[in-house]
Amino acid sequence: MLFTPKIPLSYNNHLYADMRNLVGVPNTLNVITNFPFLIVGVLGFVLCLGGGSFFNIRLPGELWGWVLFCGGIASVAFGSAYYHLRPDDNRVLLDTLPMMIACSSLFSSFILERLGERIGLSCLFSLLVLAVLSTVYARTFNDLRLCMSFQLIQCIAIPIMTFLFPPKYTHSRYWLWTVGVCILAKMEALADMRIYQATNYVISGHSLEHLCSAIAPVLITVMLVHRSCRFPRIMVADISADEELCEISSPCAFRITLDPERMKARRIR
């Protein structure tokens, strides 16, 4: 923000390589390629509302983050389709804000997994507020730098934090694949016209960006379905005559049986 020039909204930002009207819908492919966001977002949202058991969600704070993420992904389908029907400076905010909300929820869920529930929930609230402020700033001051920085920082922070902080769950490699897909989608958007020409004017880079970006929530959903806690809490029973239970944290499960007479002489913690 301090060392880069202002990046204003301009009419050229709304001119895409493929603006064909194929079935009576303006910018047909740019509109209909948002449909995968709706399918993945609604499916994930419904499964999260079931309490998170299907996704192995263990903490209430995690559930809030994933519900907002799936809701944001579903909202992207409506916001982006509405914008591409008639691209302009006012409608672009409805395209940007849902995606930033989804990114904020995803990043806060990642932080919650790596650093703890309290820090994750604090980041969830802070990032959602920052997402809204960034969108308002872009429209009020005609400057896209804050929105662009908001999305760029997360693509840098997640890979670094993946190696710095141990994961709570298995299948953490999906986080890196998700970031890679998002970066590929941005590259496709930058090469909008070149891809359109290379495909013999069949599909543009921006339409491919939509399809590629929709793979990111698919990868996250697959991760949530297959992941498990790396160090589950194992219940150790039969410690005393009244079957008092205590919990231990261990990657291996085992059972201990102690003599009730010895329990009277020794205190077990």
Side-chain angles (χ1 to χ4, degrees), residues 74-101:
S75 300
V76 168
F78 295 102
S80 183
Y82 178 74
Y83 161 69
H84 284 290
L85 286 173
R86 194 182 65 195
D88 58 29
D89 291 348
N90 294 321
R91 294 193 175 202
V92 72
L93 300 182
L94 297 176
D95 180 26
T96 304
L97 183 58
M99 182 60 71
M100 295 183 67
I101 291 176

Side-chain angles (χ1 to χ4, degrees), residues 91-144:
R91 294 193 175 202
V92 72
L93 300 182
L94 297 176
D95 180 26
T96 304
L97 183 58
M99 182 60 71
M100 295 183 67
I101 291 176
C103 291
S104 302
S105 305
L106 181 66
F107 190 39
S108 63
S109 297
F110 175 82
I111 293 175
L112 189 147
E113 176 188 334
R114 302 291 169 137
L115 301 179
E117 186 176 11
R118 180 177 300 179
I119 298 177
L121 289 177
S122 300
C123 288
L124 176 61
F125 175 77
S126 302
L127 290 174
L128 288 176
V129 172
L130 183 59
V132 175
L133 292 179
S134 300
T135 308
V136 173
Y137 174 85
R139 189 67 185 94
T140 304
F141 297 96
N142 194 27
D143 188 1
L144 294 172

Side-chain angles (χ1 to χ4, degrees), residues 85-231:
L85 286 173
R86 194 182 65 195
D88 58 29
D89 291 348
N90 294 321
R91 294 193 175 202
V92 72
L93 300 182
L94 297 176
D95 180 26
T96 304
L97 183 58
M99 182 60 71
M100 295 183 67
I101 291 176
C103 291
S104 302
S105 305
L106 181 66
F107 190 39
S108 63
S109 297
F110 175 82
I111 293 175
L112 189 147
E113 176 188 334
R114 302 291 169 137
L115 301 179
E117 186 176 11
R118 180 177 300 179
I119 298 177
L121 289 177
S122 300
C123 288
L124 176 61
F125 175 77
S126 302
L127 290 174
L128 288 176
V129 172
L130 183 59
V132 175
L133 292 179
S134 300
T135 308
V136 173
Y137 174 85
R139 189 67 185 94
T140 304
F141 297 96
N142 194 27
D143 188 1
L144 294 172
R145 286 179 298 174
L146 192 56
C147 289
M148 297 175 66
S149 300
F150 185 87
Q151 300 180 40
L152 177 64
I153 288 174
Q154 299 181 53
C155 292
I156 298 174
I158 289 180
I160 294 176
M161 294 177 65
T162 298
F163 295 102
L164 291 181
F165 301 100
K168 177 182 176 181
Y169 298 100
T170 59
H171 295 78
S172 60
R173 62 183 179 274
Y174 280 87
W175 288 106
L176 298 178
W177 293 350
T178 301
V179 172
V181 166
C182 292
I183 294 175
L184 177 61
K186 295 300 181 184
M187 295 174 62
E188 290 173 341
L190 293 175
D192 187 19
M193 179 57 75
R194 293 185 179 181
I195 293 177
Y196 192 44
Q197 294 173 345
T199 59
N200 199 21
Y201 304 100
V202 174
I203 189 170
S204 67
H206 194 77
S207 296
L208 285 179
E209 180 203 9
H210 291 168
L211 298 176
C212 189
S213 297
I215 297 177
V218 172
L219 290 174
I220 292 297
T221 303
V222 173
M223 179 191 72
L224 292 176
V225 170
H226 291 92
R227 73 177 186 174
S228 59
C229 193
R230 295 184 67 225
F231 301 104

